[in-house]
Amino acid sequence: MTSNIDYIDKIPNNVDLGRDRVLQRALEHWQPAYMGWWYDMGPTESHNYDVYLRTAISVDPEGWAVFDYVKMPQYRWGIFLVPPTAGREVNFGVNKGQPAWQDVPGEYRSMLRRLVVTQGDTEPASVEQQRMLGMCAPSLYDLRNIYQVNVEEGRHLWAMVYLLHRYFGRDGREEAEALLERRSGDADNPRILGAFNEPTPDWLAFYMFTFFTDRDGKFQLSSLAESGFDPLARTCRFMLTEEAHHMFVGETGVGRIVQRTAEVMAEHRLEDPADVRALGVIDLPTIQRYLNFHYSVTLDLFGGDISSNAASFYTTGLKGRYEETKIDDDHLLTDATYNVGTVKDGRVFEEEIPALNALNERLRDDYIGEVQAGVDRWNKIIEKTGIPFRLRLPHKGFHRQIGNFAGHHISPEGDVMTEAAWKAKRDGWMPNAADYTFVQAMMAGRVVEPGKFANWIAPPRRGIHTQPLDFEYVRFN
Ligand code: BYC
């Protein structure tokens, strides 16, 4: 099936889509398949709702988006690259100083395609993971926010598919199709990276995901925004504009849950989790267990601590460090070293390795710094209520499946344990079956009255785009 796409009206873009016949033909095949995927795997039962959404319409920092009611299947998934920087160069690695590539360098083609595909694969995966959550939203405000996140993840898929179609010919088209065929959690055809095959079964998991995992997106996109392949750099730069809102949804979502719980605890002078749960809010130890889970699976997304792939991505100039051009060094890293954690003789210690091989670990450390600041802000909310409980990040080696810590059993405090001892404690450290049952039972049904919020979450400070909290953010028709 093909469809005639009105490129100007249907796909807002600043890449002159209307003039590129080859690209048009590729997208004419892909677009209906994308819509099929959205109808099947997008937010459930939502297709006829009018949702107050922002749509990217340009890359002008002063007015890049419009807000209006949209039925999600009619959302205008656009393609935007930030404007080119005149004279931009490859800024790191052995090609440093060459003009930035406007086409794919033949010798790096498969490496580059792999990066684009891995990035692209996460976007539809997250929509699949979240597709049932609209049925138990805590408010119209939150329902609108998850839909906003979902349509923008869809746009980020478009951004990567644009690169595949425009620059990678037939194998790019095949990869673009495969992005619509893999499914999160599918035993036979799963999404590429681990965290994107985990379920997101409730709203606490959703907020943790958007706080922790979308922030991996921020750091990975920032590294790709340094790429010597200019179209990738420019498209990732613009994706970061939208990503900020997703992390806001996560941080304020967890913050509002924490606030509500701490306020109820303070008001009723309760500490026992069972008493706290009896009042219809999520006890803080359960929130800590969710945090431990989402943090650890997201740490895995940065790849192995020691990675020759990461060294190649860097040396060739395809993927930089976080804020590469702001770092004051030679941008070659031939002599530099970096410390990575490892396990030997039953304990964790630091090992110095060539910095080129430690680039995943370095990015993970940059990420951890930012995550810690967010956790500190949650703790300030708890502190204000006078409750002594504090959330904290578990040790970097806790519950890891990728890298030096994989195969070891590390406690949240960083102690190396036997498998049996670790497993005996597992349910106290990560959400257990009873936690999920409790949280899901509490979140059964959705709150649809404008301005009303579920009991387990505090209202946000303000609405979206200057609208009041009791604005009708979603109309169900
Ligand atoms: N799960 O050399 P290594 C986002 C594989 S999130 C499964 O250490 P490398 C978003 C690896 O593929 C950001 N497998 O890996 C967030 C390799 O396989 P092969 C997404 C994994 O390549 C929320 C092998 O293990 N973007 O945007 O240095 C909502 C050896 O590993 C995992 C990107 O990730 C894992 N966690 O690093 C929506 C950026 N980790 O070669 C969106 C692009 C590693 O043996 N991707 N493996 O077959 C990359 O830069 C790199 O692929 C990675 C992996 C950093 C992910």
Side-chain angles (χ1 to χ4, degrees), residues 382-400:
I382 305 177
E383 200 180 339
K384 265 197 197 153
T385 64
I387 298 294
F389 190 97
R390 296 291 174 266
L391 294 164
R392 59 196 194 88
L393 294 177
H395 186 271
K396 210 197 263 186
F398 172 74
H399 185 235
R400 293 287 304 282

mmCIF file with all atom_site columns, all heavy atoms in Angstrom, residues 382-400:
data_model
loop_
_atom_site.group_PDB
_atom_site.id
_atom_site.type_symbol
_atom_site.label_atom_id
_atom_site.label_alt_id
_atom_site.label_comp_id
_atom_site.label_asym_id
_atom_site.label_entity_id
_atom_site.label_seq_id
_atom_site.pdbx_PDB_ins_code
_atom_site.Cartn_x
_atom_site.Cartn_y
_atom_site.Cartn_z
_atom_site.occupancy
_atom_site.B_iso_or_equiv
_atom_site.pdbx_formal_charge
_atom_site.auth_seq_id
_atom_site.auth_comp_id
_atom_site.auth_asym_id
_atom_site.auth_atom_id
_atom_site.pdbx_PDB_model_num
ATOM 1   N N   . ILE A 1 382 ? 11.045 15.306 50.821 1.00 0.00 ? 382 ILE A N   1
ATOM 2   C CA  . ILE A 1 382 ? 10.754 14.487 52.010 1.00 0.00 ? 382 ILE A CA  1
ATOM 3   C C   . ILE A 1 382 ? 11.173 15.264 53.260 1.00 0.00 ? 382 ILE A C   1
ATOM 4   O O   . ILE A 1 382 ? 10.431 15.315 54.262 1.00 0.00 ? 382 ILE A O   1
ATOM 5   C CB  . ILE A 1 382 ? 11.484 13.128 51.956 1.00 0.00 ? 382 ILE A CB  1
ATOM 6   C CG1 . ILE A 1 382 ? 11.152 12.389 50.650 1.00 0.00 ? 382 ILE A CG1 1
ATOM 7   C CG2 . ILE A 1 382 ? 11.108 12.255 53.158 1.00 0.00 ? 382 ILE A CG2 1
ATOM 8   C CD1 . ILE A 1 382 ? 11.883 11.055 50.478 1.00 0.00 ? 382 ILE A CD1 1
ATOM 9   N N   . GLU A 1 383 ? 12.353 15.838 53.198 1.00 0.00 ? 383 GLU A N   1
ATOM 10  C CA  . GLU A 1 383 ? 12.902 16.555 54.355 1.00 0.00 ? 383 GLU A CA  1
ATOM 11  C C   . GLU A 1 383 ? 11.956 17.649 54.840 1.00 0.00 ? 383 GLU A C   1
ATOM 12  O O   . GLU A 1 383 ? 11.765 17.838 56.039 1.00 0.00 ? 383 GLU A O   1
ATOM 13  C CB  . GLU A 1 383 ? 14.250 17.164 53.938 1.00 0.00 ? 383 GLU A CB  1
ATOM 14  C CG  . GLU A 1 383 ? 15.155 17.525 55.093 1.00 0.00 ? 383 GLU A CG  1
ATOM 15  C CD  . GLU A 1 383 ? 16.482 18.122 54.593 1.00 0.00 ? 383 GLU A CD  1
ATOM 16  O OE1 . GLU A 1 383 ? 16.854 17.891 53.416 1.00 0.00 ? 383 GLU A OE1 1
ATOM 17  O OE2 . GLU A 1 383 ? 17.113 18.826 55.380 1.00 0.00 ? 383 GLU A OE2 1
ATOM 18  N N   . LYS A 1 384 ? 11.344 18.355 53.907 1.00 0.00 ? 384 LYS A N   1
ATOM 19  C CA  . LYS A 1 384 ? 10.444 19.468 54.253 1.00 0.00 ? 384 LYS A CA  1
ATOM 20  C C   . LYS A 1 384 ? 9.284  19.017 55.126 1.00 0.00 ? 384 LYS A C   1
ATOM 21  O O   . LYS A 1 384 ? 8.742  19.797 55.901 1.00 0.00 ? 384 LYS A O   1
ATOM 22  C CB  . LYS A 1 384 ? 9.850  20.074 52.966 1.00 0.00 ? 384 LYS A CB  1
ATOM 23  C CG  . LYS A 1 384 ? 10.616 21.269 52.458 1.00 0.00 ? 384 LYS A CG  1
ATOM 24  C CD  . LYS A 1 384 ? 9.741  22.027 51.465 1.00 0.00 ? 384 LYS A CD  1
ATOM 25  C CE  . LYS A 1 384 ? 10.597 22.966 50.648 1.00 0.00 ? 384 LYS A CE  1
ATOM 26  N NZ  . LYS A 1 384 ? 10.025 23.245 49.327 1.00 0.00 ? 384 LYS A NZ  1
ATOM 27  N N   . THR A 1 385 ? 8.879  17.745 54.991 1.00 0.00 ? 385 THR A N   1
ATOM 28  C CA  . THR A 1 385 ? 7.741  17.261 55.777 1.00 0.00 ? 385 THR A CA  1
ATOM 29  C C   . THR A 1 385 ? 8.200  16.774 57.153 1.00 0.00 ? 385 THR A C   1
ATOM 30  O O   . THR A 1 385 ? 7.388  16.382 57.977 1.00 0.00 ? 385 THR A O   1
ATOM 31  C CB  . THR A 1 385 ? 7.042  16.078 55.064 1.00 0.00 ? 385 THR A CB  1
ATOM 32  O OG1 . THR A 1 385 ? 7.982  14.993 54.990 1.00 0.00 ? 385 THR A OG1 1
ATOM 33  C CG2 . THR A 1 385 ? 6.560  16.459 53.689 1.00 0.00 ? 385 THR A CG2 1
ATOM 34  N N   . GLY A 1 386 ? 9.510  16.741 57.373 1.00 0.00 ? 386 GLY A N   1
ATOM 35  C CA  . GLY A 1 386 ? 10.033 16.291 58.671 1.00 0.00 ? 386 GLY A CA  1
ATOM 36  C C   . GLY A 1 386 ? 10.213 14.786 58.774 1.00 0.00 ? 386 GLY A C   1
ATOM 37  O O   . GLY A 1 386 ? 10.645 14.267 59.804 1.00 0.00 ? 386 GLY A O   1
ATOM 38  N N   . ILE A 1 387 ? 9.911  14.061 57.689 1.00 0.00 ? 387 ILE A N   1
ATOM 39  C CA  . ILE A 1 387 ? 10.077 12.591 57.706 1.00 0.00 ? 387 ILE A CA  1
ATOM 40  C C   . ILE A 1 387 ? 11.569 12.273 57.511 1.00 0.00 ? 387 ILE A C   1
ATOM 41  O O   . ILE A 1 387 ? 12.211 12.827 56.614 1.00 0.00 ? 387 ILE A O   1
ATOM 42  C CB  . ILE A 1 387 ? 9.238  11.953 56.567 1.00 0.00 ? 387 ILE A CB  1
ATOM 43  C CG1 . ILE A 1 387 ? 7.751  12.244 56.772 1.00 0.00 ? 387 ILE A CG1 1
ATOM 44  C CG2 . ILE A 1 387 ? 9.504  10.462 56.436 1.00 0.00 ? 387 ILE A CG2 1
ATOM 45  C CD1 . ILE A 1 387 ? 7.122  11.596 57.989 1.00 0.00 ? 387 ILE A CD1 1
ATOM 46  N N   . PRO A 1 388 ? 12.147 11.389 58.330 1.00 0.00 ? 388 PRO A N   1
ATOM 47  C CA  . PRO A 1 388 ? 13.594 11.163 58.255 1.00 0.00 ? 388 PRO A CA  1
ATOM 48  C C   . PRO A 1 388 ? 14.074 10.285 57.090 1.00 0.00 ? 388 PRO A C   1
ATOM 49  O O   . PRO A 1 388 ? 15.266 10.237 56.812 1.00 0.00 ? 388 PRO A O   1
ATOM 50  C CB  . PRO A 1 388 ? 13.926 10.486 59.596 1.00 0.00 ? 388 PRO A CB  1
ATOM 51  C CG  . PRO A 1 388 ? 12.642 9.894  60.052 1.00 0.00 ? 388 PRO A CG  1
ATOM 52  C CD  . PRO A 1 388 ? 11.527 10.707 59.479 1.00 0.00 ? 388 PRO A CD  1
ATOM 53  N N   . PHE A 1 389 ? 13.187 9.606  56.387 1.00 0.00 ? 389 PHE A N   1
ATOM 54  C CA  . PHE A 1 389 ? 13.587 8.676  55.314 1.00 0.00 ? 389 PHE A CA  1
ATOM 55  C C   . PHE A 1 389 ? 14.309 9.429  54.190 1.00 0.00 ? 389 PHE A C   1
ATOM 56  O O   . PHE A 1 389 ? 13.939 10.535 53.835 1.00 0.00 ? 389 PHE A O   1
ATOM 57  C CB  . PHE A 1 389 ? 12.331 8.003  54.750 1.00 0.00 ? 389 PHE A CB  1
ATOM 58  C CG  . PHE A 1 389 ? 12.594 6.859  53.816 1.00 0.00 ? 389 PHE A CG  1
ATOM 59  C CD1 . PHE A 1 389 ? 12.561 5.546  54.270 1.00 0.00 ? 389 PHE A CD1 1
ATOM 60  C CD2 . PHE A 1 389 ? 12.882 7.079  52.477 1.00 0.00 ? 389 PHE A CD2 1
ATOM 61  C CE1 . PHE A 1 389 ? 12.799 4.484  53.414 1.00 0.00 ? 389 PHE A CE1 1
ATOM 62  C CE2 . PHE A 1 389 ? 13.119 6.029  51.604 1.00 0.00 ? 389 PHE A CE2 1
ATOM 63  C CZ  . PHE A 1 389 ? 13.075 4.729  52.081 1.00 0.00 ? 389 PHE A CZ  1
ATOM 64  N N   . ARG A 1 390 ? 15.349 8.793  53.620 1.00 0.00 ? 390 ARG A N   1
ATOM 65  C CA  . ARG A 1 390 ? 16.023 9.373  52.447 1.00 0.00 ? 390 ARG A CA  1
ATOM 66  C C   . ARG A 1 390 ? 16.171 8.315  51.361 1.00 0.00 ? 390 ARG A C   1
ATOM 67  O O   . ARG A 1 390 ? 16.550 7.174  51.653 1.00 0.00 ? 390 ARG A O   1
ATOM 68  C CB  . ARG A 1 390 ? 17.425 9.895  52.815 1.00 0.00 ? 390 ARG A CB  1
ATOM 69  C CG  . ARG A 1 390 ? 17.439 11.042 53.805 1.00 0.00 ? 390 ARG A CG  1
ATOM 70  C CD  . ARG A 1 390 ? 16.870 12.352 53.229 1.00 0.00 ? 390 ARG A CD  1
ATOM 71  N NE  . ARG A 1 390 ? 16.795 13.369 54.271 1.00 0.00 ? 390 ARG A NE  1
ATOM 72  C CZ  . ARG A 1 390 ? 15.710 13.625 55.018 1.00 0.00 ? 390 ARG A CZ  1
ATOM 73  N NH1 . ARG A 1 390 ? 14.585 12.949 54.829 1.00 0.00 ? 390 ARG A NH1 1
ATOM 74  N NH2 . ARG A 1 390 ? 15.738 14.555 55.942 1.00 0.00 ? 390 ARG A NH2 1
ATOM 75  N N   . LEU A 1 391 ? 15.907 8.706  50.105 1.00 0.00 ? 391 LEU A N   1
ATOM 76  C CA  . LEU A 1 391 ? 16.148 7.823  48.957 1.00 0.00 ? 391 LEU A CA  1
ATOM 77  C C   . LEU A 1 391 ? 17.627 7.862  48.615 1.00 0.00 ? 391 LEU A C   1
ATOM 78  O O   . LEU A 1 391 ? 18.270 8.894  48.793 1.00 0.00 ? 391 LEU A O   1
ATOM 79  C CB  . LEU A 1 391 ? 15.324 8.298  47.753 1.00 0.00 ? 391 LEU A CB  1
ATOM 80  C CG  . LEU A 1 391 ? 13.814 8.190  47.923 1.00 0.00 ? 391 LEU A CG  1
ATOM 81  C CD1 . LEU A 1 391 ? 13.102 9.041  46.864 1.00 0.00 ? 391 LEU A CD1 1
ATOM 82  C CD2 . LEU A 1 391 ? 13.352 6.732  47.830 1.00 0.00 ? 391 LEU A CD2 1
ATOM 83  N N   . ARG A 1 392 ? 18.141 6.743  48.114 1.00 0.00 ? 392 ARG A N   1
ATOM 84  C CA  . ARG A 1 392 ? 19.539 6.818  47.666 1.00 0.00 ? 392 ARG A CA  1
ATOM 85  C C   . ARG A 1 392 ? 19.804 5.870  46.500 1.00 0.00 ? 392 ARG A C   1
ATOM 86  O O   . ARG A 1 392 ? 19.104 4.871  46.305 1.00 0.00 ? 392 ARG A O   1
ATOM 87  C CB  . ARG A 1 392 ? 20.508 6.558  48.822 1.00 0.00 ? 392 ARG A CB  1
ATOM 88  C CG  . ARG A 1 392 ? 20.356 5.242  49.487 1.00 0.00 ? 392 ARG A CG  1
ATOM 89  C CD  . ARG A 1 392 ? 21.080 5.271  50.831 1.00 0.00 ? 392 ARG A CD  1
ATOM 90  N NE  . ARG A 1 392 ? 21.222 3.928  51.336 1.00 0.00 ? 392 ARG A NE  1
ATOM 91  C CZ  . ARG A 1 392 ? 22.239 3.126  51.052 1.00 0.00 ? 392 ARG A CZ  1
ATOM 92  N NH1 . ARG A 1 392 ? 23.215 3.526  50.263 1.00 0.00 ? 392 ARG A NH1 1
ATOM 93  N NH2 . ARG A 1 392 ? 22.282 1.904  51.533 1.00 0.00 ? 392 ARG A NH2 1
ATOM 94  N N   . LEU A 1 393 ? 20.821 6.237  45.737 1.00 0.00 ? 393 LEU A N   1
ATOM 95  C CA  . LEU A 1 393 ? 21.204 5.398  44.605 1.00 0.00 ? 393 LEU A CA  1
ATOM 96  C C   . LEU A 1 393 ? 21.967 4.192  45.125 1.00 0.00 ? 393 LEU A C   1
ATOM 97  O O   . LEU A 1 393 ? 22.871 4.345  45.947 1.00 0.00 ? 393 LEU A O   1
ATOM 98  C CB  . LEU A 1 393 ? 22.107 6.181  43.646 1.00 0.00 ? 393 LEU A CB  1
ATOM 99  C CG  . LEU A 1 393 ? 21.472 7.370  42.931 1.00 0.00 ? 393 LEU A CG  1
ATOM 100 C CD1 . LEU A 1 393 ? 22.520 8.085  42.076 1.00 0.00 ? 393 LEU A CD1 1
ATOM 101 C CD2 . LEU A 1 393 ? 20.300 6.911  42.059 1.00 0.00 ? 393 LEU A CD2 1
ATOM 102 N N   . PRO A 1 394 ? 21.638 2.996  44.644 1.00 0.00 ? 394 PRO A N   1
ATOM 103 C CA  . PRO A 1 394 ? 22.430 1.829  45.043 1.00 0.00 ? 394 PRO A CA  1
ATOM 104 C C   . PRO A 1 394 ? 23.815 1.892  44.391 1.00 0.00 ? 394 PRO A C   1
ATOM 105 O O   . PRO A 1 394 ? 24.040 2.698  43.485 1.00 0.00 ? 394 PRO A O   1
ATOM 106 C CB  . PRO A 1 394 ? 21.628 0.654  44.492 1.00 0.00 ? 394 PRO A CB  1
ATOM 107 C CG  . PRO A 1 394 ? 20.847 1.205  43.360 1.00 0.00 ? 394 PRO A CG  1
ATOM 108 C CD  . PRO A 1 394 ? 20.578 2.653  43.688 1.00 0.00 ? 394 PRO A CD  1
ATOM 109 N N   . HIS A 1 395 ? 24.687 1.035  44.829 1.00 0.00 ? 395 HIS A N   1
ATOM 110 C CA  . HIS A 1 395 ? 26.035 0.936  44.250 1.00 0.00 ? 395 HIS A CA  1
ATOM 111 C C   . HIS A 1 395 ? 25.943 0.670  42.739 1.00 0.00 ? 395 HIS A C   1
ATOM 112 O O   . HIS A 1 395 ? 25.029 0.007  42.277 1.00 0.00 ? 395 HIS A O   1
ATOM 113 C CB  . HIS A 1 395 ? 26.790 -0.209 44.939 1.00 0.00 ? 395 HIS A CB  1
ATOM 114 C CG  . HIS A 1 395 ? 28.220 -0.307 44.538 1.00 0.00 ? 395 HIS A CG  1
ATOM 115 N ND1 . HIS A 1 395 ? 28.642 -1.051 43.452 1.00 0.00 ? 395 HIS A ND1 1
ATOM 116 C CD2 . HIS A 1 395 ? 29.320 0.266  45.058 1.00 0.00 ? 395 HIS A CD2 1
ATOM 117 C CE1 . HIS A 1 395 ? 29.959 -0.947 43.329 1.00 0.00 ? 395 HIS A CE1 1
ATOM 118 N NE2 . HIS A 1 395 ? 30.399 -0.147 44.291 1.00 0.00 ? 395 HIS A NE2 1
ATOM 119 N N   . LYS A 1 396 ? 26.907 1.198  42.019 1.00 0.00 ? 396 LYS A N   1
ATOM 120 C CA  . LYS A 1 396 ? 26.949 1.065  40.560 1.00 0.00 ? 396 LYS A CA  1
ATOM 121 C C   . LYS A 1 396 ? 26.921 -0.400 40.098 1.00 0.00 ? 396 LYS A C   1
ATOM 122 O O   . LYS A 1 396 ? 26.459 -0.718 39.006 1.00 0.00 ? 396 LYS A O   1
ATOM 123 C CB  . LYS A 1 396 ? 28.254 1.709  40.086 1.00 0.00 ? 396 LYS A CB  1
ATOM 124 C CG  . LYS A 1 396 ? 28.225 2.307  38.723 1.00 0.00 ? 396 LYS A CG  1
ATOM 125 C CD  . LYS A 1 396 ? 29.642 2.508  38.248 1.00 0.00 ? 396 LYS A CD  1
ATOM 126 C CE  . LYS A 1 396 ? 30.142 3.912  38.469 1.00 0.00 ? 396 LYS A CE  1
ATOM 127 N NZ  . LYS A 1 396 ? 31.478 4.098  37.859 1.00 0.00 ? 396 LYS A NZ  1
ATOM 128 N N   . GLY A 1 397 ? 27.428 -1.292 40.936 1.00 0.00 ? 397 GLY A N   1
ATOM 129 C CA  . GLY A 1 397 ? 27.502 -2.696 40.530 1.00 0.00 ? 397 GLY A CA  1
ATOM 130 C C   . GLY A 1 397 ? 26.247 -3.495 40.853 1.00 0.00 ? 397 GLY A C   1
ATOM 131 O O   . GLY A 1 397 ? 26.135 -4.669 40.484 1.00 0.00 ? 397 GLY A O   1
ATOM 132 N N   . PHE A 1 398 ? 25.289 -2.849 41.535 1.00 0.00 ? 398 PHE A N   1
ATOM 133 C CA  . PHE A 1 398 ? 24.088 -3.569 41.962 1.00 0.00 ? 398 PHE A CA  1
ATOM 134 C C   . PHE A 1 398 ? 23.237 -3.982 40.764 1.00 0.00 ? 398 PHE A C   1
ATOM 135 O O   . PHE A 1 398 ? 22.940 -3.152 39.906 1.00 0.00 ? 398 PHE A O   1
ATOM 136 C CB  . PHE A 1 398 ? 23.264 -2.668 42.908 1.00 0.00 ? 398 PHE A CB  1
ATOM 137 C CG  . PHE A 1 398 ? 21.912 -3.235 43.245 1.00 0.00 ? 398 PHE A CG  1
ATOM 138 C CD1 . PHE A 1 398 ? 21.804 -4.310 44.117 1.00 0.00 ? 398 PHE A CD1 1
ATOM 139 C CD2 . PHE A 1 398 ? 20.760 -2.717 42.674 1.00 0.00 ? 398 PHE A CD2 1
ATOM 140 C CE1 . PHE A 1 398 ? 20.552 -4.847 44.424 1.00 0.00 ? 398 PHE A CE1 1
ATOM 141 C CE2 . PHE A 1 398 ? 19.515 -3.250 42.981 1.00 0.00 ? 398 PHE A CE2 1
ATOM 142 C CZ  . PHE A 1 398 ? 19.416 -4.314 43.856 1.00 0.00 ? 398 PHE A CZ  1
ATOM 143 N N   . HIS A 1 399 ? 22.876 -5.277 40.698 1.00 0.00 ? 399 HIS A N   1
ATOM 144 C CA  . HIS A 1 399 ? 21.908 -5.785 39.713 1.00 0.00 ? 399 HIS A CA  1
ATOM 145 C C   . HIS A 1 399 ? 22.282 -5.423 38.273 1.00 0.00 ? 399 HIS A C   1
ATOM 146 O O   . HIS A 1 399 ? 21.457 -4.949 37.501 1.00 0.00 ? 399 HIS A O   1
ATOM 147 C CB  . HIS A 1 399 ? 20.495 -5.228 40.038 1.00 0.00 ? 399 HIS A CB  1
ATOM 148 C CG  . HIS A 1 399 ? 19.422 -5.786 39.146 1.00 0.00 ? 399 HIS A CG  1
ATOM 149 N ND1 . HIS A 1 399 ? 18.572 -4.974 38.411 1.00 0.00 ? 399 HIS A ND1 1
ATOM 150 C CD2 . HIS A 1 399 ? 19.047 -7.054 38.869 1.00 0.00 ? 399 HIS A CD2 1
ATOM 151 C CE1 . HIS A 1 399 ? 17.729 -5.724 37.718 1.00 0.00 ? 399 HIS A CE1 1
ATOM 152 N NE2 . HIS A 1 399 ? 17.993 -6.980 37.988 1.00 0.00 ? 399 HIS A NE2 1
ATOM 153 N N   . ARG A 1 400 ? 23.537 -5.686 37.926 1.00 0.00 ? 400 ARG A N   1
ATOM 154 C CA  . ARG A 1 400 ? 23.970 -5.341 36.572 1.00 0.00 ? 400 ARG A CA  1
ATOM 155 C C   . ARG A 1 400 ? 24.047 -6.587 35.696 1.00 0.00 ? 400 ARG A C   1
ATOM 156 O O   . ARG A 1 400 ? 24.462 -7.651 36.152 1.00 0.00 ? 400 ARG A O   1
ATOM 157 C CB  . ARG A 1 400 ? 25.338 -4.641 36.643 1.00 0.00 ? 400 ARG A CB  1
ATOM 158 C CG  . ARG A 1 400 ? 25.282 -3.263 37.322 1.00 0.00 ? 400 ARG A CG  1
ATOM 159 C CD  . ARG A 1 400 ? 24.627 -2.224 36.437 1.00 0.00 ? 400 ARG A CD  1
ATOM 160 N NE  . ARG A 1 400 ? 25.312 -2.156 35.156 1.00 0.00 ? 400 ARG A NE  1
ATOM 161 C CZ  . ARG A 1 400 ? 26.465 -1.520 34.974 1.00 0.00 ? 400 ARG A CZ  1
ATOM 162 N NH1 . ARG A 1 400 ? 27.027 -0.865 35.962 1.00 0.00 ? 400 ARG A NH1 1
ATOM 163 N NH2 . ARG A 1 400 ? 27.031 -1.520 33.788 1.00 0.00 ? 400 ARG A NH2 1
#
